[in-house]
Amino acid sequence: QVQLVESGGGLVQAGGSLRLSCAASGRTFSTYAMGWFRQAPGKEREFVATISSSGGSTTYADSVKGRFTISRDNAKNTAYLQMNNLKPEDTAVYYCNAQRGNVYWGQGTQVTVSS
């Protein structure tokens, strides 16, 4: 089992940047694909980005492509989401997950972008 803890959320003005971190427990982090999702108030959770276990492959939602970058450091058991040029519509709770057959979720971190 994997335990995930997100951090790095906060309040930022439109056009600003934040970097989210997702710290994972255990010795098998490098065998999991990692993903970021978000959920805005009154909306369903939506996909943001994913990265393969090795870090060699990434996928992004069209809404964040060119602005967000997902990465990972397997030596530190941590995945990241660098978010640039933030927009008010990026406001949401951001969750990371670990995928390898089963899916494990963190508790989420709030990102608020003011206009």
Side-chain angles (χ1 to χ4, degrees), residues 2-4 22-34 51-54 71-80 96-100:
V2 178
Q3 293 184 329
L4 304 173
C22 175
S25 65
R27 300 179 179 179
T28 59
F29 176 76
S30 63
T31 66
Y32 288 82
M34 298 297 295
I51 187 167
S52 62
S53 57
S54 67
S71 62
R72 65 190 298 158
D73 185 337
N74 285 345
K76 295 183 178 180
N77 279 16
T78 303
Y80 303 97
C96 68
N97 74 11
Q99 310 152 25
R100 191 189 70 184

Side-chain angles (χ1 to χ4, degrees), residues 64-112:
V64 307
K65 206 171 290 184
R67 300 188 298 123
F68 291 11
T69 302
I70 189 171
S71 62
R72 65 190 298 158
D73 185 337
N74 285 345
K76 295 183 178 180
N77 279 16
T78 303
Y80 303 97
L81 185 68
Q82 177 67 44
M83 306 186 294
N84 298 328
N85 190 22
L86 282 160
K87 304 176 181 181
E89 52 264 43
D90 294 318
T91 295
V93 178
Y94 282 71
Y95 299 89
C96 68
N97 74 11
Q99 310 152 25
R100 191 189 70 184
N102 293 330
V103 179
Y104 302 95
W105 292 91
Q107 84 291 347
T109 185
Q110 176 71 46
V111 172
T112 303

